[in-house]
Amino acid sequence: MKYTSIGIHKTYLFCNPKQITGIMTKTYNWAILGCGKIARKFTGDLKTLPNARLFAAASRSLENAQVFAFELGFEKAYGSYEEMVNDPEVDVVYIASPHSHHCEHSLLCLNHGKAVLCEKAFAMNFGEVRQMIEASRKNNTFLMEAFWTRFQPSFLKVLDIIHSGELGALKMVRSDFAFNADYNPEKRLYNVALGGGSLLDIGIYPIFMSLMSLGKPSEIKTMASFCPTGAEESIMMSFNYPDGEIASLVSSFACHSSTQTEFSFENGFVRLNRRFYCPTTLSYWKAGEEETMITFEKGNGFGYELEAGHVMDCLDAGKIESDWMPLSISSDLMEIMDRVRKDAGILFPGHD
Ligand SMILES: NC(=O)c1ccc[n+]([C@@H]2O[C@H](COP(=O)([O-])OP(=O)(O)OC[C@H]3O[C@@H](n4cnc5c(N)ncnc54)[C@H](OP(=O)(O)O)[C@@H]3O)[C@@H](O)[C@H]2O)c1
């Protein structure tokens, strides 16, 4: 199945939230679950949205929650996630814990009627994703994966080019995401118990690029290397598609890469330049013409405000699922990652 970009979304992205909705029906009380690194960055962007109220920070440690709340401007601090979900004033929770806990924490929030924006990787495996979707439906409560790249103007432009057919058929996707990560066996990047390894953390982005442009592969082949903790450190993935298209995808914590994605068509190519998951430039070449560069203006934040604004638009509209980042994309992504893991021998004890 191939996903299409919807014209209205492009309009949405170049407007601020006030212009998009026209009428802002509500200010939403946001809570953060897990006060780590990405939660700080996300909060900085959340602050730029006029209909988002920085309401509660929840951590496993009250002290950490208090420091986080004070430094970033949240009204309340909770020393446990359970206390936070029992606060009737919390509307929506951003889950920023390690992958290993996304399912458990999403279920906790959904079962307390809290809308959920959960970081990628959405869970550890397909079975966990199914549980999360069931909980969303059972509780009639909003759930979306925080896949911010889906909302970037540069990425939407690529989808438009693919679907316009102006460069002919898309035949090949090449995408890489690598950086030299400090080796710490306890921390989540290398700790298997926390979903460690490059695949779920950064390999998911090249896979997302191939899924959104070529759909689900018919065949997957991989080569992986592992570090002493048993976590996969580097992985190369080759995907084949029913109509003969191919994808070559790489992720690694062992070295730096240019972090680009190139889409090759019958009559040209398009490249999301460094860093392809939120780039400000896109290179475009059509056979017989000069290569050109399309530039995208940076918004008010890192780009996380786009997904957060979209969540509130969905809530305003009474939706429990986004049309733009539907749960089928999250399910398909995880199904592919399960197949990659099986081929590469990547194990997550307790989550297989
Ligand atoms: N979208 C993006 O651009 C992006 C970027 C980076 C990371 N992420 C995603 O965000 C998630 C968190 O990444 P991060 O880099 O922010 O990680 P991090 O700095 O390690 O923070 C994770 C937080 O989760 C909480 N937590 C709950 N249970 C835990 C456990 N058993 N062990 C460790 N921490 C636990 C902790 O907060 P408390 O102690 O406060 O409870 C911790 O600070 C990951 O799923 C990652 O893939 C997304």
Side-chain angles (χ1 to χ4, degrees):
M1 174 189 174
K2 298 189 186 186
Y3 302 97
T4 52
S5 70
I6 302 166
I8 193 167
H9 295 146
K10 227 167 68 178
T11 320
Y12 166 80
L13 280 164
F14 292 104
C15 300
N16 68 39
K18 198 163 191 169
Q19 288 167 321
I20 303 155
T21 53
I23 32 155
M24 279 195 297
T25 52
K26 193 176 162 177
T27 295
Y28 290 92
N29 288 343
W30 282 78
I32 304 294
L33 187 157
C35 300
K37 285 196 281 299
I38 191 61
R40 281 185 175 266
K41 252 176 138 174
F42 175 84
T43 299
D45 283 6
L46 194 60
K47 269 186 187 165
T48 66
L49 302 176
N51 52 341
R53 181 174 171 202
L54 304 195
F55 188 67
S59 168
R60 295 166 301 168
S61 126
L62 180 59
E63 193 190 344
N64 192 30
Q66 284 170 335
V67 169
F68 188 93
F70 176 75
E71 289 180 0
L72 293 163
F74 284 85
E75 295 171 25
K76 292 185 178 178
Y78 285 112
S80 80
Y81 305 150
E82 289 73 16
E83 278 177 88
M84 179 272 289
V85 294
N86 279 300
D87 182 331
E89 288 191 88
V90 169
D91 296 312
V92 48
V93 181
Y94 169 65
I95 296 179
S97 51
H99 326 310
S100 50
H101 290 68
H102 288 173
C103 178
E104 177 191 330
H105 293 153
S106 294
L107 298 187
L108 176 72
C109 295
L110 293 167
N111 289 336
H112 283 79
K114 308 301 183 197
V116 168
L117 174 64
C118 178
E119 261 307 337
K120 43 57 62 179
F122 209 32
M124 297 285 272
N125 57 48
F126 184 73
E128 291 186 358
V129 171
R130 287 249 51 96
Q131 284 182 54
M132 292 158 72
I133 294 174
E134 279 164 23
S136 160
R137 298 200 172 137
K138 187 182 91 199
N139 293 291
N140 197 30
T141 303
F142 182 83
L143 173 66
M144 189 181 96
E145 183 172 4
F147 218 106
W148 66 313
T149 302
R150 176 70 181 107
F151 301 86
Q152 303 304 315
S154 47
F155 176 65
L156 296 180
K157 179 69 183 167
V158 170
L159 291 185
D160 281 347
I161 292 168
I162 293 171
H163 296 297
S164 73
E166 65 196 73
L167 295 178
L170 176 64
K171 303 303 267 183
M172 179 166 74
V173 174
R174 287 180 297 153
S175 182
D176 67 274
F177 192 160
F179 67 93
N180 188 353
D182 290 339
Y183 183 67
N184 182 335
E186 306 299 323
K187 294 277 185 191
R188 70 171 188 86
L189 294 190
Y190 287 103
N191 185 338
V192 175
L194 298 178
S198 79
L199 176 66
L200 294 194
D201 200 59
I202 52 177
I204 190 171
Y205 286 96
I207 293 174
F208 178 80
M209 288 289 143
S210 66
L211 174 65
M212 298 299 289
S213 56
L214 290 171
K216 289 211 272 186
S218 47
E219 196 184 354
I220 291 178
K221 291 211 170 102
T222 66
M223 292 286 278
S225 62
F226 294 82
C227 62
T229 59
E232 158 272 333
E233 188 174 49
S234 303
I235 186 160
M236 301 184 82
M237 300 168 267
S238 300
F239 292 180
N240 238 327
Y241 296 85
D243 294 333
E245 302 94 341
I246 53 172
S248 171
L249 316 171
V250 183
S251 63
S252 176
F253 286 152
C255 54
H256 296 286
S257 79
S258 57
T259 317
Q260 303 186 108
T261 299
E262 192 164 286
F263 300 86
S264 300
F265 300 80
E266 290 166 315
N267 302 319
F269 66 78
V270 176
R271 189 174 58 245
L272 284 168
N273 294 317
R274 177 173 171 77
R275 303 175 168 89
F276 73 83
Y277 47 88
C278 64
T280 50
T281 68
L282 184 154
S283 299
Y284 180 98
W285 181 76
K286 190 171 188 175
E289 296 179 7
E290 290 293 310
E291 183 175 328
T292 54
M293 181 105 87
I294 304 171
T295 302
F296 298 84
E297 268 181 43
K298 262 191 98 54
N300 293 334
F302 289 108
Y304 300 107
E305 72 282 6
L306 300 172
E307 61 182 3
H310 178 67
V311 169
M312 294 188 287
D313 283 350
C314 290
L315 296 177
D316 276 345
K319 293 181 179 176
I320 66 162
E321 183 174 355
S322 162
D323 297 331
W324 204 355
M325 182 62 206
L327 295 165
S328 57
I329 296 182
S330 301
S331 300
D332 287 350
L333 262 179
M334 194 54 70
E335 193 195 319
I336 295 170
M337 289 200 291
D338 279 2
R339 288 166 64 194
V340 166
R341 281 178 53 207
K342 193 164 178 217
D343 189 78
I346 297 171
L347 301 173
F348 294 128
H351 293 274
D352 284 310

